[in-house]
């Protein structure tokens, strides 16, 4: 074993960063044995140096992150500060000064992954980011290494623990959205401002990363269609239950039927209770991968939190340090396929549409005619009068597979019918 330690600079010492530092200290001997050399925490860049950080030598703490990554003796920079800047500049500066990088920064990788990979390649360094997508779940490495000889056709997953906790609570207790969100906040699963989670921004960034790796094409955050889950209601869950389904916020990345393009999207969807993702409860994540040779694979586990995310960071750290010792680099960006990203208008799926209609004869025939005129085939219809006696009824239509474009035209025409009081909800049905 080499006795000279590999030096690690840690950028950020919050929930994840502090766990990375703790594991590096408490598991130092095991890490050294697995790497073939000891690893040394050489510096920790933070915003508030006065804060007490248990187990971290105060002399290592600095507010000058740029000076830390420019030192020249740093072997690996671990970036867990998040956001676009200064993280992007610090990572590129690290490459320029001879360090490889381990990052958990999904937002930055989804926006500028291609440029960061190019910078890493230019300087002959590694860029690893297992922790950016699903916490402790090994997912990036299996996609870009274990399945490198296979053809991945679809990646379907729950990649945000906060939203899964909220939807699971709504499903299991009948709670409304706000009530479930309040509980998630009280338990620490949701941030004080949960927008990034509940509006799907977090999941969309992860979908961009997954799609790029799975399909060997560049997919940016702006390419990902996104719908949040704030409009999901208890009534939607009752409808899902009647169909033998539940509702999840899904990240879906798939090849088009002709194989010439890909799509990446995030939105709430009904999935059958028989699908493996339906049983993912609480704040857990799970990702379902479909490929030609391997068939169906599922990856499941805690998708967030300090210790689980730090576990993924340390796994990357070990791999990068091994590469450092051998003088090699691991897999970089693979974008040779260069498949274009199609818009949602081309996506074909089933739909669950809930309408408020006048409770009188002939309404169903009018609605069915509109669907027929727009080439959307109906699978099932359920109509139920209201107990409040207001003369309206609920009409639920479940379609066969149709494109978003054709469904959009159908809904626009339905809104023009005098007998349709309103469109209560539209939700896709996935996981068939």
């Amino acid at each position: 074993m080499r006795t000279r330690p590999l030096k690690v600079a840690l950028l950020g010492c919050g929930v994840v960063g502090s766990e990375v530092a703790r594991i590096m200290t408490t598991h130092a001997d095991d890490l050294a044995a697995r790497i073939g050399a000891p690893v040394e925490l050489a510096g920790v860049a933070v915003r508030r140096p006065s804060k007490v950080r248990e187990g971290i030598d105060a002399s290592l703490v600095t507010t000058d992150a740029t000076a830390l990554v420019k030192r020249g003796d740093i072997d690996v920079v671990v970036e867990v500060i998040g956001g676009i800047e200064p993280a992007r500049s610090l990572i590129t500066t690290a490459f320029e000064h001879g360090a490889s990088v381990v990052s958990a920064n999904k937002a930055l990788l989804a926006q500028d992954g291609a440029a960061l990979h190019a910078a890493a390649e230019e300087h002959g360094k590694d860029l690893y980011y297992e922790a950016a997508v699903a916490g402790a779940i090994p997912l990036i490495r299996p996609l870009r290494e274990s399945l490198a000889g296979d053809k991945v056709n679809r990646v379907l997953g729950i990649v945000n623990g906060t939203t899964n906790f909220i939807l699971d609570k709504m499903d299991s207790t009948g709670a409304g959205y706000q009530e479930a969100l309040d509980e998630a906040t009280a338990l620490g699963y949701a941030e004080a401002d949960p927008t990034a989670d509940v509006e799907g921004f977090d999941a969309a960034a992860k979908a961009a990363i997954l799609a790029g790796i799975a399909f060997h094409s560049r997919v940016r955050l702006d390419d990902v269609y996104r719908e949040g889950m704030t409009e999901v209601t208890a009534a939607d869950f009752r409808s899902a239950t009647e169909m033998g389904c539940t509702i999840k916020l899904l990240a879906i990345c798939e090849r088009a039927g002709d194989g010439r393009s890909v799509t990446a999207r995030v939105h709430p969807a009904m999935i059958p209770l028989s699908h493996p993702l339906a049983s993912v409860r609480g704040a857990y994540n799970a990702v379902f991968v479909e490929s030609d040779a391997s068939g169906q694979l599922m990856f499941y586990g805690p998708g967030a939190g300090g210790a689980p995310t730090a576990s993924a960071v340390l796994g990357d750290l070990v791999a990068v340090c091994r590469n450092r010792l051998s003088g090699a680099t691991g897999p970089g960006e693979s974008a040779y396929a260069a498949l274009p990203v199609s818009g949602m208008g081309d996506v074909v799926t089933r739909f669950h549409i809930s309408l408020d209609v006048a409770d009188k004869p002939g309404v169903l025939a009018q609605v069915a005619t509109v669907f027929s005129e727009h080439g959307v085939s109906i699978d099932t219809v359920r109509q139920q009068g209201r107990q409040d006696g207001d003369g309206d009824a609920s009409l639920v239509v479940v379609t066969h597979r149709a494109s978003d474009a054709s469904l959009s035209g159908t809904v626009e025409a339905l809104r023009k019918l005098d007998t349709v009081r309103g469109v209560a909800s539209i939700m896709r049905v996935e996981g068939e």
Side-chain angles (χ1 to χ4, degrees):
M1 178 185 294
R2 193 181 83 165
T3 57
R4 184 174 69 81
L6 293 160
K7 294 188 176 183
V8 177
L10 178 61
L11 307 184
C13 198
V15 173
V16 176
S18 60
E19 279 296 310
V20 170
R22 182 189 66 80
I23 295 172
M24 284 185 64
T25 301
T26 58
H27 295 181
D29 291 343
D30 286 338
L31 291 173
R34 294 166 191 172
I35 292 169
V39 287
E40 173 188 310
L41 189 59
V44 182
V46 300
R47 290 180 181 176
R48 296 182 294 276
S50 59
K51 180 180 177 181
V52 176
R53 294 173 172 84
E54 186 177 347
I56 296 178
D57 186 342
S59 67
L60 299 178
V61 177
T62 178
T63 58
D64 194 343
T66 301
L68 178 60
V69 299
K70 281 184 173 181
R71 275 179 34 175
D73 63 336
I74 300 297
D75 294 287
V76 184
V77 169
V78 174
E79 183 272 309
V80 288
I81 56 178
I84 305 302
E85 287 291 354
R88 173 171 50 197
S89 297
L90 291 170
I91 289 174
T92 55
T93 300
F95 291 141
E96 292 166 0
H97 288 78
S100 290
V101 174
V102 173
S103 176
N105 196 331
K106 53 187 171 286
L108 177 58
L109 289 158
Q111 178 172 307
D112 290 321
L116 294 178
H117 275 293
E121 182 177 2
E122 178 185 354
H123 296 284
K125 298 297 178 286
D126 277 323
L127 173 62
Y128 276 49
Y129 43 91
E130 184 69 63
V133 172
I137 305 172
L139 186 58
I140 299 298
R141 192 170 289 114
L143 280 175
R144 71 177 185 177
E145 296 182 34
S146 303
L147 296 176
D150 205 343
K151 178 184 177 183
V152 176
N153 297 308
R154 196 170 195 236
V155 180
L156 171 76
I158 299 163
V159 295
N160 182 277
T162 299
T163 55
N164 199 58
F165 177 89
I166 293 169
L167 292 173
D168 182 39
K169 185 61 63 174
M170 293 175 69
D171 187 20
S172 61
T173 69
Y177 166 76
Q178 189 60 51
E179 182 183 352
L181 172 60
D182 290 344
E183 182 172 350
T185 303
L187 293 173
Y189 291 123
E191 301 287 346
D193 179 2
T195 302
D197 294 321
V198 300
E199 293 294 351
F201 291 101
D202 175 85
K206 296 170 181 176
I209 295 170
L210 290 173
I213 296 171
F215 306 131
H216 304 280
S217 302
R218 287 179 176 169
V219 180
R220 300 181 72 250
L221 179 59
D222 291 345
D223 296 321
V224 181
Y225 174 83
R226 177 192 55 79
E227 285 179 28
M229 48 157 280
T230 57
E231 301 301 317
V232 177
T233 66
D236 291 326
F237 273 100
R238 289 193 292 271
S239 292
T241 298
E242 291 173 359
M243 288 179 58
C245 293
T246 188
I247 299 172
K248 300 291 187 182
L249 184 75
L250 298 178
I252 304 170
C253 314
E254 58 189 352
R255 295 179 188 268
D258 60 8
R260 296 179 180 177
S261 65
V262 299
T263 58
R265 50 196 166 102
V266 169
H267 53 71
M270 294 182 179
I271 58 172
L273 294 176
S274 58
H275 194 281
L277 291 178
S279 62
V280 178
R281 312 302 296 268
Y284 275 70
N285 286 190
V287 178
F288 204 69
V289 177
E290 301 174 8
S291 65
D292 277 359
S294 300
Q296 297 179 332
L297 305 170
M298 182 165 161
F299 301 84
Y300 169 85
T309 305
S311 171
V313 169
L314 267 295
D316 278 350
L317 179 63
V318 169
V320 170
C321 285
R322 286 172 174 168
N323 291 343
R324 193 83 172 181
L325 289 178
S326 66
T329 55
E333 182 189 33
S334 176
Y336 73 90
L339 296 173
V341 182
S342 297
M344 278 298 289
D346 298 325
V347 172
V348 175
T349 186
R350 296 173 67 204
F351 290 91
H352 175 282
I353 305 104
S354 180
L355 305 172
D356 293 329
V357 300
D359 192 4
K360 62 183 183 181
V363 173
L364 179 56
Q366 288 182 333
V367 169
T369 297
V370 170
F371 277 88
S372 176
E373 289 174 347
H374 288 80
V376 179
S377 177
I378 294 175
D379 182 17
T380 62
V381 177
R382 185 177 69 256
Q383 183 171 345
Q384 184 175 355
R386 298 251 180 91
Q387 293 181 354
D388 56 19
D390 65 357
D392 287 351
S394 294
L395 183 65
V396 175
V397 178
V398 180
T399 74
H400 287 289
R401 292 176 66 82
S403 70
D404 261 52
S406 61
L407 197 280
S408 178
T410 303
V411 172
E412 184 177 349
L414 287 171
R415 294 184 192 276
K416 296 178 181 178
L417 293 178
D418 291 339
T419 51
V420 175
R421 312 302 193 204
V423 180
S425 69
I426 302 172
M427 192 170 297
R428 294 170 181 82
V429 182
E430 299 283 351
E432 299 172 84

